[in-house]
Amino acid sequence: MFLAVVSAVFFGWALGANDAANVYGTAVASDLVKFKVAVASSVIFILIGAVFAGSRVLETISSLSSQTVFTAVTGTIAAALTMTIMTLLGIPVSSSQAMMGAIFGVGMFQGTADWSIFLKIVVCWVATPVGAAVGSFFLYRIISIVFARIKTKPTQNFALKIGAIAIGAYGSFALGANDVANVIGPFAGIMPVKVAVLMGGISIGLGVITFGKRVMYTVGKQIITLDHFAAVIAVLSMSSIVWMFTLLGIPASTSQAIVGAVVGAGFAGGTKDINLKVLKKIVLGWVQTPLVAGLFSFFLCLLLDLVIKIF
């Protein structure tokens, strides 16, 4: 059980370090919200989302393949290693992709992988950035009409700052509610759900505090240049689609959602200078993440199984 806790905390830390960028990256990079404020808000509302709504996605994740303590630990370590590598490279990848790939790698080792569920999740991965981009585009066009009625610049700036913090809190809540299942999903039935959810939320928060800054600037500045209004709209679109998938019990990718939302808001605002090189790097990371995590978990299972048989 000790090893299970350590591996889950490791993955939760890696998730927080990477996925914090998805909520506040645009606001921090555009100097709308200070990094310390973003971190504090993220940690608080990720924990609230994890504790009060973190059980919704558990059933989907736990149904991918049957788990023992051995396979749960192996899959979680594989997913955490994948997330850590991508974070060090500054690539905003998907924690749900890392965990789904790892769990499926374990399932292939056991011969219990459910391809039908996995294919449904893959379809959602494709729909997430597209839906976020479309949502961001139309939210920008609609809300900009209301925003234009605020006549003075100081009032506009104040409204944007408050909006960025409030919407970021909503996004952090949605992230905690959806992504904590990625941390504790493999351990469903192995440890008490309330304890696991709390542990997952705290470990995600630690990742935000200790290592969340680097990926924030990849998301916030390197894909496309956003003004303050577009930055807030992007987070609103991302948060909404992640929460929608959470209500449906589907493990969504906050990374994919925010990248799609950033592109949609940028185009709606008339910005066409998208950095295709960075975008290709991110999309390639999306493809690589489940593959790398799946291979890691498959070969870790083989290796540990061999060691156990020898000794």
Side-chain angles (χ1 to χ4, degrees), residues 18-19 21-23 91-98 100 121-134 136 178-179 219 223 234 237-239 241-242 245 250-264 279 282-290:
N18 195 285
D19 284 5
N22 304 328
V23 178
I91 301 173
V93 295
S94 165
S95 59
S96 63
Q97 284 185 313
M100 293 305 99
I121 293 173
V122 170
V123 170
C124 292
W125 288 344
V126 175
T128 297
V130 175
V134 173
S136 189
N178 195 286
D179 282 8
V219 170
I223 300 172
S237 179
M238 180 276 291
S239 305
I241 198 163
V242 170
F245 279 125
I250 298 170
S253 167
T254 53
S255 300
Q256 291 175 324
I258 193 58
V259 170
V262 165
V263 172
L279 188 59
I282 291 170
V283 173
L284 183 60
W286 292 345
V287 175
Q288 291 172 332
T289 298

Side-chain angles (χ1 to χ4, degrees), residues 90-301:
I91 301 173
V93 295
S94 165
S95 59
S96 63
Q97 284 185 313
M99 184 53 77
M100 293 305 99
I103 291 175
F104 211 72
V106 169
M108 287 190 292
F109 171 77
Q110 294 179 313
T112 60
D114 190 331
W115 283 95
S116 62
I117 295 175
F118 187 75
L119 289 174
K120 289 177 183 178
I121 293 173
V122 170
V123 170
C124 292
W125 288 344
V126 175
T128 297
V130 175
V134 173
S136 189
F137 183 89
F138 285 106
L139 281 171
Y140 185 103
R141 292 296 176 89
I142 294 168
I143 297 176
S144 63
I145 297 172
V146 178
F147 186 73
R149 295 183 179 181
I150 303 174
K151 300 301 181 182
T152 64
K153 195 69 175 176
T155 306
Q156 286 185 341
N157 291 336
F158 179 76
L160 286 172
K161 188 177 291 289
I162 296 301
I165 295 172
I167 293 169
Y170 169 44
S172 296
F173 177 87
L175 187 153
N178 195 286
D179 282 8
V180 75
N182 296 324
V183 178
I184 64 172
F187 301 98
I190 298 174
M191 65 173 67
V193 173
K194 290 183 179 180
V195 174
V197 167
L198 180 61
M199 178 187 69
I202 292 172
S203 61
I204 293 171
L206 286 173
V208 176
I209 293 169
T210 58
F211 218 74
K213 196 169 187 177
R214 183 172 183 176
V215 184
M216 279 194 184
Y217 283 91
T218 298
V219 170
K221 283 190 173 181
Q222 295 183 27
I223 300 172
I224 193 168
T225 304
L226 297 180
D227 59 27
H228 288 170
F229 179 75
V232 172
I233 294 298
V235 177
L236 176 59
S237 179
M238 180 276 291
S239 305
S240 298
I241 198 163
V242 170
W243 181 241
M244 180 188 74
F245 279 125
T246 301
L247 292 175
L248 295 172
I250 298 170
S253 167
T254 53
S255 300
Q256 291 175 324
I258 193 58
V259 170
V262 165
V263 172
F267 276 110
T271 303
K272 300 293 190 292
D273 59 337
I274 185 169
N275 191 327
L276 291 177
K277 184 178 180 180
V278 172
L279 188 59
K280 286 178 182 177
K281 179 182 177 182
I282 291 170
V283 173
L284 183 60
W286 292 345
V287 175
Q288 291 172 332
T289 298
L291 294 176
V292 171
L295 289 172
F296 271 165
S297 64
F298 181 81
F299 285 110
L300 274 174
C301 283

